[in-house]
Amino acid sequence: MPLRGPSKDVFKSSKDLGFVGTGFQGGPLRKRKGYRLALWSLLASFVDFLVLIAISCAFLIVFSLLMKTSAGSVLKLLFHSDSQLLLIAEIFALSSGLYLIAMRAFMGSSIGEWACNIRLGQPHERLESRYILRVFVRTSLIVLTGVVVLPALSLILGGDLTGKLCGLRLFSLK
């Protein structure tokens, strides 16, 4: 007996499957807005924080290999006093700001935003000459307010507060 394909009655129309109008296929019903977008933005920030910690650890290992010493002795030297700890925190804040600005300016999103399907600005906004300046202002606002304050206020208010302040909003691809 020859093999036959599926019956044509199985795939009559997608209306019979019950997915029409539920947002299952994407479209405006599925877009994340308000609180959901703020939560996904917070998750993206956490992923970016983990990426920055991983990069810092990689630099620590490379530095200790170049100096031919253990990573533990380098950490003891760096965390010896409060002033050195403050210097490390300032360097970390500066490098995280530079990471966010560079990734957002050239890629349209950071690694965390990319993983969460969030983009900074609409595609036509990314082609404007003032896009990098707007990215700089947005990132500087977030870093200068302590990285947590504006995202937390955005979550409480249910919208992208930083985007309203600087004119460059986050939007969801999903």
Side-chain angles (χ1 to χ4, degrees):
M1 179 174 214
L3 293 175
R4 296 182 187 178
S7 170
K8 296 195 191 280
D9 295 339
V10 174
F11 302 107
K12 283 183 185 177
S13 71
S14 63
K15 290 181 182 178
D16 296 336
L17 297 175
F19 295 128
V20 176
T22 61
F24 182 76
Q25 299 155 333
L29 293 177
R30 192 171 176 188
K31 294 282 186 192
R32 295 179 287 212
K33 296 177 184 170
Y35 293 107
R36 290 181 67 204
L37 183 60
L39 282 171
W40 279 97
S41 175
L42 193 61
L43 179 64
S45 297
F46 181 71
V47 171
D48 286 329
F49 177 74
L50 292 177
V51 167
L52 286 165
I53 293 294
I55 291 171
S56 299
C57 290
F59 278 126
L60 176 69
I61 291 170
V62 168
F63 181 75
S64 66
L65 288 175
L66 287 174
M67 294 295 129
K68 296 181 183 176
T69 184
S70 69
S73 63
V74 174
L75 282 176
K76 284 181 188 176
L77 180 69
L78 291 176
F79 293 112
H80 182 65
S81 68
D82 291 337
S83 62
Q84 288 175 329
L85 188 60
L86 183 62
L87 176 66
I88 291 170
E90 290 171 354
I91 290 172
F92 186 77
L94 180 67
S95 63
S96 65
L98 290 174
Y99 158 78
L100 288 172
I101 290 170
M103 291 298 290
R104 287 173 167 175
F106 296 114
M107 304 281 292
S109 64
S110 64
I111 293 173
E113 292 166 346
W114 175 79
C116 294
N117 286 322
I118 298 173
R119 297 297 182 267
L120 189 59
Q122 297 287 342
H124 64 86
E125 290 177 316
R126 282 186 241 138
L127 298 175
E128 295 176 357
S129 59
R130 61 183 180 171
Y131 175 74
I132 294 176
L133 177 65
R134 294 165 106 191
V135 167
F136 177 76
V137 169
R138 181 182 173 92
T139 305
S140 298
L141 273 173
I142 291 173
V143 171
L144 290 175
T145 58
V147 182
V148 176
V149 175
L150 281 176
L153 283 174
S154 295
L155 185 60
I156 292 169
L157 297 174
D160 184 18
L161 180 63
T162 312
K164 292 176 185 174
L165 292 174
C166 69
L168 188 61
R169 296 180 182 223
L170 286 174
F171 75 95
S172 174
L173 295 180
K174 282 190 170 188

